[in-house]
Amino acid sequence: MIEEKFDAIVIGAGMSGNAAAYTMASRGMKVLQLERGEYPGSKNVQGAIMYADMLEKIIPDFREDAPLERHLVEQRFWMLDDTSHTGMHYRSDDFNEAKPNRYTIIRAQFDKWFSRKVREAGATVLCETTVTELAHDTRGQVIGVRTDRAGGVIFADVVVLAEGVNGLLGTRAGLREMPRPEAVALAVKEMHFLPEEVIGERFGLKGNEGCVIEAAGTISRGMTGLAFLYTNKESISLGIGCLVSDFASTMESPYALLDAFKNHPSVRPFIAGSEVKEYAAHLIPEGGYKAIPQLFGDGWVVVGDAAQLNNAVHREGSNLAMTSGRIAGEAIFQVKSRRDPMTKNNLALYKTMLDKSFVIKDLMKYKDMPALLHTNSRNFFMTYPQLMSQAAQNFMRVDGRPKIEKEKATTSAFIKARSRWGLVSDAVRLAFAWR
Amino acid sequence: MTIAVAELRVEDKLFQNRYLVDAGRPHIKVRPHEKPSPNLIALTRVCPAKCYELNDKGQVEITADGCMECGTCRVLCEASGEIEWNYPRGGFGVLFKFG
């Protein structure tokens, strides 16, 4: 199929693959990018929020033509029980800045745009091509890939595995383990379409302003999970995700959770009258720092979701993906510039550079969080949201009962549900995992 | 209070999606088995496209046409050898319009 040898092959045209391919191609490297979808983005699913800083480091003037939906001026966090939400809103006009910090995007459209930039930078992008295996030489060095198209090995000095959370190639080649069920969340999402001005009215937004609602509580039925509502220009991305291990033990159906979330009295008014145009499912890496696999070897590096680079606490996935892709591209370019071979020793530069970046520092900060939330999911996602709701209702409702009596009832409800020791221990463990 | 949810058909949800089915070449297979493991049974509930179903002999079967290629079944059942998982050939499978 393709006779020539490339400097680098990038597998996948998601955020990390595009960032890596762009970084290398724009520095004059000969790059081939392979994507199994019909077009870049056709296999990619995200919430989706895109952080400007990380893209700006790759394409500084992206605001001129990237398909951005709304820039976020407001964030709401909700703790849900079956009929209520207790929440926090943060809204600031500071976010209405010349160069906004966060945007909602629609991945199929965004990825097409990003891929166009990759091609403009000089990379060859080949879609509808599934890579079936990595090719090695007798010493174990990765020297290229085989695909499901006719023809033999396509050769390259280095292969960038940007194959996503469910990457088969790296696991089959024994470069990393498959994600454990407790280290990945299954998220399902629907796209609800509404006129632009209706979304503006319902969320209190002007023009391109956007709002994000993230919700946890009884909606995940005791599982470790999070639901979300993101405003796009003419649609709302609405979804829920929980750990795969929790789904397997509870036997809950993800689409039943999604429909219950849509029907929650706090959510229903936002999507009333909407037209649903797509239903998607995707895994999200949740294992954090402790789940990061070996990131480089002889003739290969792994980036993005395939490397479990996702900050679940801050829900930062695509920016870690973009950043790891960019850093991998820069590291490979440095090795190539020195005319050094793409060996494990030389590609260790990628890890060194990544360790110095916010990517690994942030994941290190929250290294104990996944285990804490996983082992305490019933308390954090069932007990506390219910207690919070009762407490708030006790406080708000005026019914002739003396306030001191109500306060005592609230306190004793917390102690009854979790015991004094349990409350203190939850607080301490949460504080330590957060630190 | 429980929330009343209308009779739910995941088929109606999948109907919104665009697929290019590689007819006769399913990308996921369930290996023949006598008694399915708990994880394999869980897939009949957990698979977001409801691809897995129990047949009348109590074995799990798959119809991969509506698959969204999320990988949940692979994470739960590939290691035990109960299923065989591959991506569809290039261009085939689900094609997200929004993603």
Side-chain angles (χ1 to χ4, degrees):
Chain A
M1 168 174 71
I2 293 174
E3 298 296 329
E4 70 225 272
K5 186 186 168 192
F6 291 86
D7 292 330
I9 291 175
V10 177
I11 301 169
M15 288 290 197
S16 64
N18 285 338
Y22 183 89
T23 301
M24 293 186 289
S26 61
R27 283 164 175 73
M29 289 177 64
K30 199 167 142 189
V31 176
L32 173 67
Q33 189 181 27
L34 300 168
E35 161 60 42
R36 63 191 186 82
E38 186 181 50
Y39 47 85
S42 61
K43 300 289 184 184
N44 303 344
V45 177
Q46 193 196 341
I49 294 171
M50 199 274 301
Y51 297 84
D53 256 32
M54 290 74 203
L55 181 57
E56 217 161 9
K57 287 204 168 64
I58 302 164
I59 303 177
D61 58 354
F62 74 91
R63 289 182 180 85
E64 283 172 21
D65 57 353
L68 307 168
E69 293 289 312
R70 290 171 182 268
H71 72 270
L72 298 169
V73 297
E74 179 172 333
Q75 170 105 31
R76 308 181 191 179
F77 295 103
W78 283 355
M79 208 179 241
L80 294 181
D81 76 352
D82 288 348
T83 55
S84 77
H85 70 266
T86 313
M88 187 185 100
H89 285 199
Y90 183 69
R91 184 183 176 113
S92 172
D93 198 45
D94 293 349
F95 287 119
N96 274 318
E97 57 212 314
K99 292 187 161 187
N101 178 253
R102 306 182 298 167
Y103 297 89
T104 49
I105 56 168
I106 291 174
R107 280 295 298 273
Q109 291 157 11
F110 183 88
D111 291 3
K112 269 186 209 165
W113 167 85
F114 204 165
S115 180
R116 185 160 49 80
K117 294 285 172 189
V118 170
R119 282 193 301 267
E120 284 168 9
T124 305
V125 181
L126 204 56
C127 290
E128 300 189 301
T129 308
T130 301
V131 176
T132 51
E133 67 179 318
L134 299 174
H136 299 84
D137 68 8
T138 48
R139 292 170 300 127
Q141 171 100 12
V142 172
I143 52 167
V145 301
R146 285 190 182 81
T147 75
D148 61 350
R149 292 194 180 219
V153 175
I154 311 174
F155 293 97
D157 291 332
V158 63
V159 173
V160 178
L161 293 153
E163 51 179 338
V165 61
N166 187 33
L168 267 67
L169 293 162
T171 51
R172 296 242 165 109
L175 307 181
R176 59 172 191 272
E177 309 250 303
M178 191 157 44
R180 290 167 292 109
E182 58 274 20
V184 277
L186 166 62
V188 288
K189 185 184 88 158
E190 280 180 351
M191 292 294 281
H192 287 254
F193 281 75
L194 283 165
E196 200 174 332
E197 51 292 359
V198 173
I199 293 176
E201 271 165 36
R202 288 183 186 176
F203 288 86
L205 304 166
K206 286 198 306 274
N208 282 339
E209 290 174 347
C211 169
V212 164
I213 301 176
E214 270 154 348
T218 60
I219 199 71
S220 66
R221 300 181 186 169
M223 300 186 282
T224 303
L226 189 78
F228 63 87
L229 222 73
Y230 297 160
T231 55
N232 306 314
K233 209 166 272 174
E234 317 182 280
S235 62
I236 295 168
S237 304
L238 179 154
I240 184 164
C242 300
L243 289 180
V244 167
S245 52
D246 284 353
F247 270 123
S249 60
T250 59
M251 303 262 282
E252 293 281 358
S253 289
Y255 37 87
L257 292 187
L258 183 66
D259 280 47
F261 181 57
K262 280 157 57 182
N263 280 292
H264 190 283
S266 294
V267 174
R268 208 165 37 205
F270 286 112
I271 53 166
S274 67
E275 187 192 351
V276 181
K277 292 193 181 176
E278 190 166 80
Y279 168 61
H282 196 66
L283 293 181
I284 303 170
E286 299 276 345
Y289 183 77
K290 291 177 179 171
I292 299 174
Q294 173 66 29
L295 293 171
F296 59 92
D298 286 321
W300 63 273
V301 297
V302 59
V303 294
D305 275 9
Q308 287 266 336
L309 300 175
N310 174 37
N311 181 344
V313 175
H314 289 261
R315 303 152 326 279
E316 289 177 42
S318 66
N319 56 335
L320 270 60
M322 275 192 270
T323 304
S324 62
R326 171 178 63 79
I327 290 175
E330 287 172 0
I332 289 168
F333 177 71
Q334 279 194 36
V335 174
K336 185 181 161 58
S337 302
R338 293 197 298 254
R339 294 164 193 254
D340 284 338
M342 295 291 166
T343 56
K344 186 173 183 176
N345 273 345
N346 291 331
L347 289 171
L349 178 62
Y350 162 49
K351 173 80 165 41
T352 309
M353 288 165 70
L354 203 61
D355 282 345
K356 284 189 195 144
S357 74
F358 78 97
V359 172
I360 299 296
K361 285 182 182 158
D362 283 0
L363 291 175
M364 181 100 90
K365 176 180 188 303
Y366 295 117
K367 65 184 189 316
D368 295 323
M369 198 59 103
L372 173 71
L373 290 180
H374 184 224
T375 49
N376 284 276
S377 62
R378 276 205 86 75
N379 292 332
F380 286 118
F381 295 93
M382 278 307 254
T383 314
Y384 283 121
Q386 282 165 340
L387 287 168
M388 283 295 292
S389 172
Q390 287 159 16
Q393 185 147 158
N394 257 351
F395 191 79
M396 314 282 174
R397 196 183 280 278
V398 176
D399 53 7
R401 275 170 78 203
K403 305 295 181 216
I404 185 87
E405 222 173 78
K406 292 186 171 217
E407 260 176 46
K408 277 184 184 156
T410 296
T411 312
S412 67
F414 271 78
I415 293 168
K416 193 173 165 221
R418 280 299 292 142
S419 82
R420 278 174 206 278
W421 170 245
L423 291 168
V424 171
S425 137
D426 286 347
V428 169
R429 281 186 298 178
L430 191 63
F432 269 88
W434 189 268
R435 205 178 53 163
Chain B
M1 192 192 102
T2 53
I3 299 155
V5 178
E7 179 73 21
L8 186 95
R9 279 171 42 89
V10 73
E11 292 83 354
D12 294 339
K13 290 185 189 291
L14 299 173
F15 188 71
Q16 317 283 348
N17 295 350
R18 196 179 148 226
Y19 293 95
L20 196 59
V21 175
D22 199 355
R25 297 176 73 149
H27 63 286
I28 308 170
K29 289 174 190 156
V30 177
R31 295 222 170 82
H33 56 275
E34 287 292 316
K35 200 171 169 296
S37 73
N39 271 5
L40 191 55
I41 291 174
L43 292 182
T44 63
R45 302 268 308 161
V46 172
C47 168
K50 211 175 174 214
C51 292
Y52 292 85
E53 278 185 304
L54 270 180
N55 67 16
D56 47 19
K57 289 182 219 143
Q59 290 152 353
V60 174
E61 289 178 350
I62 181 169
T63 313
D65 291 2
C67 174
M68 293 180 279
E69 298 162 33
C70 68
T72 301
C73 57
R74 182 175 170 239
V75 166
L76 285 174
C77 290
E78 192 185 66
S80 63
E82 291 169 294
I83 65 168
E84 192 190 319
W85 213 102
N86 284 292
Y87 276 117
R89 283 193 296 161
F92 288 97
V94 70
L95 294 158
F96 291 114
K97 298 168 293 219
F98 308 106

